[in-house]
Amino acid sequence: YSYRGIQTADMRFMDAREAKHMFGTKSNNSGVSETSEGLIPQIIRGGIAVSYSTIDATLMDDIAKGLDKEVGAKEYHWLMDTNQFIAVQNFIENKYDNGGIVYGSFNGSSDLAVKQGFTSYTIHNRTFHMKKYMGFNAGAQYGVSSSKWDDNGILIPMDTQRDAANGEAVNSFGLRYQLYNGKRFYKFDTGGLAKTPTSGKMELTISQIAKEGLQVFGVNRFARVYKTS
């Protein structure tokens, strides 16, 4: 029972970690702890906003125009909720009877695209690697029937840019981390039931530490695609 509880705690920690990276708000708890702004709030604040009432050719044109205006990348991740994913897939299938959805090159590897569950679509000289993102799916993530993220998606550029300050190539999106005691994810136990008991009290406390932060370079080239009521 205890080991099963530990496994559940580990999974919850990983879920909470991802939620912070994606949806977190910036905060500073009087110098005790500080959190950075998540990806989605950054995109809403400084990225491209593309709204639609239905998935059609006009939407794809609007996306292309918005990305071209900001000199967007040639390849994008398109993470979306189930509603948007189905609507986009149906649009492509209806537009191309012989199959417009392909397993395209994913960072140079078509095998990787398949393994990670991406389908790819190229339009207006730009490739979108599409995938359902569980964080937008209220039923799977929160156990409720709907949420404010229904019919939402985000576009993440898959390229590098040149840092004007030092001339170095920087990934448009990435995750940076600092090792803690030599590990990326550090876990330790305390209490009388720990492997190395730290007290005489018969209890077990599991603590988890991860020092991470998102790298978002040029948020103006990211985009949110969302349906209006």
Side-chain angles (χ1 to χ4, degrees):
Y1 179 80
S2 296
Y3 286 115
R4 181 175 296 179
I6 292 172
Q7 291 176 345
T8 300
D10 289 344
M11 289 187 291
R12 288 178 177 174
F13 175 74
M14 298 301 288
D15 287 343
R17 161 187 161 271
E18 179 177 327
K20 286 289 186 182
H21 288 321
M22 297 298 288
F23 301 99
T25 56
K26 189 174 183 178
S27 64
N28 190 329
N29 184 18
S30 301
V32 177
S33 64
E34 185 174 353
T35 59
S36 57
E37 193 174 32
L39 175 62
I40 294 170
Q42 289 189 57
I43 294 175
I44 293 175
R45 175 176 52 81
I48 303 164
V50 183
S51 63
Y52 67 91
S53 57
T54 185
I55 302 290
D56 54 17
T58 299
L59 170 63
M60 305 308 295
D61 294 346
D62 289 344
I63 291 174
K65 292 174 183 177
L67 296 180
D68 285 348
K69 183 179 179 181
E70 300 297 338
V71 194
K74 293 300 182 183
E75 284 188 90
Y76 274 82
H77 285 131
W78 188 345
L79 305 183
M80 57 189 89
D81 84 309
T82 297
N83 295 341
Q84 189 174 98
F85 183 84
I86 292 173
V88 171
Q89 304 291 297
N90 288 341
F91 161 71
I92 298 172
E93 290 173 357
N94 291 333
K95 186 174 178 64
Y96 299 98
D97 293 335
N98 62 344
I101 303 175
V102 298
Y103 292 108
S105 174
F106 182 86
N107 273 355
S109 172
S110 57
D111 288 340
L112 187 59
V114 176
K115 290 178 181 178
Q116 296 193 359
F118 284 86
T119 56
S120 304
Y121 175 54
T122 300
I123 186 172
H124 301 315
N125 201 33
R126 182 173 283 115
T127 300
F128 298 97
H129 302 288
M130 301 170 289
K131 185 175 183 178
K132 285 185 283 186
Y133 176 57
M134 284 300 168
F136 287 150
N137 289 328
Q141 192 74 4
Y142 310 109
V144 297
S145 59
S146 63
S147 78
K148 66 178 181 179
W149 301 113
D150 290 347
D151 301 289
N152 265 262
I154 55 173
L155 302 177
I156 304 172
M158 297 173 60
D159 66 351
T160 59
Q161 300 181 74
R162 191 67 60 181
D163 190 340
N166 53 31
E168 294 182 357
V170 180
N171 291 327
S172 294
F173 178 71
L175 180 68
R176 292 185 176 273
Y177 62 90
Q178 178 181 342
L179 295 179
Y180 190 89
N181 283 357
K183 296 182 179 181
R184 182 172 174 182
F185 306 109
Y186 183 70
K187 181 172 65 175
F188 60 96
D189 51 7
T190 55
L193 297 177
K195 292 179 180 179
T196 303
T198 60
S199 72
K201 192 174 182 179
M202 292 296 97
E203 64 179 11
L204 177 65
T205 300
I206 306 296
S207 301
Q208 300 143 318
I209 298 175
K211 295 186 175 182
E212 299 179 333
L214 288 182
Q215 174 180 291
V216 179
F217 192 84
V219 72
N220 58 299
R221 300 167 73 242
F222 293 64
R224 177 191 177 199
V225 181
Y226 63 99
K227 185 176 182 178
T228 54
S229 57

